[in-house]
Amino acid sequence: MHDVSEFTNLQELDINGCNLKGSLPMFFSNLTSLKMLSLSYNQFSENISALQSLKLLESLDLSTNQFSGYISALKSLTLLESLDLSSNQFYGNISALESLTSLQYSLRPLFNLSKLKYLYADNNTIHADDHEMSHSSAPRFQLSSISLSCCGSVGSFPQFLYHQSELQDVTLSDIYFKVDRFPFWLVENNTELRSQYLVNSSLSGPSQVPSHNIPVRMGAHLPFLGHLNMSKNCSNGRIPSSFGDMSSLQVLDLSNNQLSGEIPEQMAMGCSSLQVLALSNNTLQGSIFSRNFNLTSLSELELNGNNFTGIIPNVLANCSDLYTLDLSNNFIFGEVLSWIWNKSRLEALDVSRNQLFGRLPQWRGNASNLAQVSMADNRLKGSIPRAICSLNLKLKLLDLSNNSLYGTTI
């Protein structure tokens, strides 16, 4: 490492994953020509004061180390565009300390970095100080991407985001926010959002307003959104029909909430780019899809653990790329239709714990990629198609238990 100190004109240095330990050598302060520095996936510890003289840095990756101390050492790096502080033990100002064993982390020292576009600080404990995070504390940067996942209980929603209007990718998952409503201003202020992940992030604390509805006009404000994950958020109410305005949406995950009502027909028609739709473990009801259906790009459909009724919709036969279909734990009735065996890319099929009846259609061998099939706990009868195994060498799981089937697949 000491040899590196001689390269004072070095502009890029990547020592990612070299198992380096101990404090950061002070000779780093001599590498003043550096524009890119990656120290990720090592075991560096203590503070980062050696970096405060690297004022030409544009990209800095300190992730997955054991750094601690103040991040105020970075406030002089005014050319920084990308900063990754994830998986360390940083904290901001001395007021952010609760104890030496519970370090709190504040982003306030970064507010002067006017060129900052990408900020990642996952797996730290954010200190959401009301004074530091107030609307009056406007950062000079306009971020394109931010990720603050797995940061524990942070108190109020980080108000510095109120001043952001160019966000495209937001990840605030596995955080406990003590606020009384969804921060709809985040959506209204950033109309070019492409992805938003709020997985397992409670947006309401005790004794707060008991309304966790998804904003009704959310889709209208985010027409360019590509990925939306709001699973495990205790959201209730109906899925807004405005989701149908998000024609660029490719991934929608609202699973593990308390949503009710039906799948909006506007969404089934308007989200023509949708590839992944996960609505599992809610209290949705009604028929799954009507004839007005334009989700032909679906590759994953997970609707298990709801109260859906009606038959398996025939419109799914038009989804040629479908490889995961999970309709288990509902109240679906009718027969298993032969088109299911014609899905050449289908890998996982689960229609267990429903009210399906009748005979299994003859296996034609077209679904040659099927690896998992579960039709348990229904009212199916008749013989088990012998070809179901003999024509499919990839099959690893076949569960037809608790039906009235007979025969052998051997």
Side-chain angles (χ1 to χ4, degrees):
M1 284 291 293
H2 290 287
D3 295 336
V4 176
S5 62
E6 300 177 5
F7 297 99
T8 55
N9 294 321
L10 197 65
Q11 295 189 6
E12 297 187 11
L13 177 60
D14 187 342
I15 49 176
N16 164 54
C18 292
N19 199 33
L20 299 172
K21 302 179 181 180
S23 58
L24 200 60
M26 288 306 297
F27 68 72
F28 270 92
S29 61
N30 298 326
L31 304 178
T32 55
S33 296
L34 277 179
K35 294 184 178 181
M36 188 281 288
L37 174 61
S38 176
L39 305 176
S40 61
Y41 290 92
N42 284 289
Q43 299 180 47
F44 285 119
S45 58
E46 300 183 22
N47 63 60
I48 53 173
S49 58
L51 303 180
Q52 60 188 354
S53 62
L54 308 185
K55 297 183 179 181
L56 297 183
L57 271 181
E58 298 174 2
S59 175
L60 176 60
D61 188 350
L62 304 177
S63 62
T64 317
N65 279 282
Q66 300 169 20
F67 287 121
S68 60
Y70 304 119
I71 62 168
S72 54
L74 303 177
K75 64 183 181 181
S76 61
L77 309 185
T78 56
L79 297 183
L80 268 184
E81 298 179 9
S82 178
L83 175 61
D84 194 340
L85 304 172
S86 302
S87 299
N88 282 286
Q89 299 175 333
F90 289 118
Y91 51 92
N93 301 322
I94 190 66
S95 61
L97 277 172
E98 286 190 348
S99 70
L100 292 178
T101 59
S102 178
L103 298 178
Q104 300 296 316
Y105 174 71
S106 172
L107 301 177
R108 184 63 179 86
L110 306 179
F111 281 14
N112 196 44
L113 307 183
S114 60
K115 295 185 179 298
L116 196 63
K117 291 292 183 183
Y118 307 95
L119 175 59
Y120 310 103
D122 301 327
N123 295 296
N124 284 283
T125 304
I126 300 172
H127 175 67
D129 183 272
D130 289 337
H131 173 70
E132 292 186 1
M133 298 300 187
S134 68
H135 285 217
S136 61
S137 299
R140 295 185 62 191
F141 53 67
Q142 281 294 328
L143 298 176
S144 295
S145 180
I146 185 169
S147 182
L148 302 177
S149 293
C150 303
C151 293
S153 179
V154 303
S156 59
F157 200 84
Q159 293 296 304
F160 77 91
L161 291 177
Y162 186 88
H163 302 278
Q164 302 303 296
S165 59
E166 299 178 8
L167 284 169
Q168 296 182 13
D169 302 287
V170 176
T171 302
L172 301 172
S173 298
D174 297 299
I175 304 178
Y176 184 76
F177 295 113
K178 295 180 181 178
V179 297
D180 61 357
R181 67 192 65 183
F182 180 87
F184 195 44
W185 46 263
L186 184 64
V187 173
E188 291 181 320
N189 294 350
N190 297 277
T191 57
E192 296 186 4
L193 271 177
R194 299 178 307 189
S195 66
Q196 178 174 291
Y197 294 93
L198 300 174
V199 184
N200 195 28
S201 294
S202 174
L203 294 175
S204 183
S207 303
Q208 301 289 347
V209 179
S211 174
H212 308 173
N213 291 14
I214 298 173
V216 174
R217 299 185 60 199
M218 188 171 188
H221 284 282
L222 299 171
F224 305 110
L225 193 68
H227 294 71
L228 176 60
N229 191 329
M230 293 181 63
S231 61
K232 301 179 182 178
N233 271 299
C234 299
S235 297
N236 55 32
R238 294 175 175 268
I239 300 174
S241 59
S242 67
F243 276 27
D245 295 327
M246 294 189 284
S247 58
S248 299
L249 196 63
Q250 297 178 11
V251 176
L252 175 60
D253 190 345
L254 303 177
S255 62
N256 297 287
N257 282 293
Q258 300 168 21
L259 299 172
S260 58
E262 301 182 357
I263 298 176
E265 187 172 314
Q266 295 92 329
M267 189 177 82
M269 286 296 296
C271 297
S272 56
S273 300
L274 201 61
Q275 298 174 19
V276 177
L277 177 59
L279 304 176
S280 307
N281 301 316
N282 283 284
T283 57
L284 298 169
Q285 60 190 37
S287 299
I288 293 176
F289 295 119
S290 68
R291 293 182 179 179
N292 296 321
F293 175 84
N294 197 29
L295 307 183
T296 55
S297 297
L298 279 177
S299 58
E300 296 184 44
L301 179 60
E302 300 176 8
L303 304 180
N304 51 296
N306 282 285
N307 298 320
F308 288 117
T309 57
I311 63 172
I312 299 175
N314 279 322
V315 290
L316 293 178
N318 299 322
C319 301
S320 57
D321 293 327
L322 196 65
Y323 66 81
T324 298
L325 177 59
D326 192 345
L327 306 178
S328 61
N329 284 289
N330 280 288
F331 298 94
I332 300 170
F333 55 83
E335 298 183 343
V336 179
L337 302 177
S338 59
W339 62 259
I340 285 183
W341 299 150
N342 292 325
K343 309 306 294 179
S344 60
R345 297 191 179 184
L346 194 63
E347 297 180 7
L349 171 66
D350 193 344
V351 292
S352 61
R353 293 176 291 283
N354 278 288
Q355 299 176 9
L356 298 172
F357 55 78
R359 296 176 178 273
L360 287 175
Q362 287 299 311
W363 184 280
R364 303 297 182 185
N366 293 332
S368 56
N369 286 312
L370 264 177
Q372 300 181 46
V373 177
S374 181
M375 297 184 177
D377 297 292
N378 281 287
R379 292 183 288 162
L380 302 171
K381 64 180 182 180
S383 62
I384 300 173
R386 293 177 61 84
I388 199 168
C389 286
S390 61
L391 295 180
N392 188 3
L393 300 179
K394 294 184 180 180
L395 197 62
K396 297 180 180 178
L397 175 119
L398 176 61
D399 189 353
L400 303 175
S401 60
N402 294 320
N403 284 286
S404 299
L405 298 167
Y406 61 85
T408 177
T409 58
I410 300 175

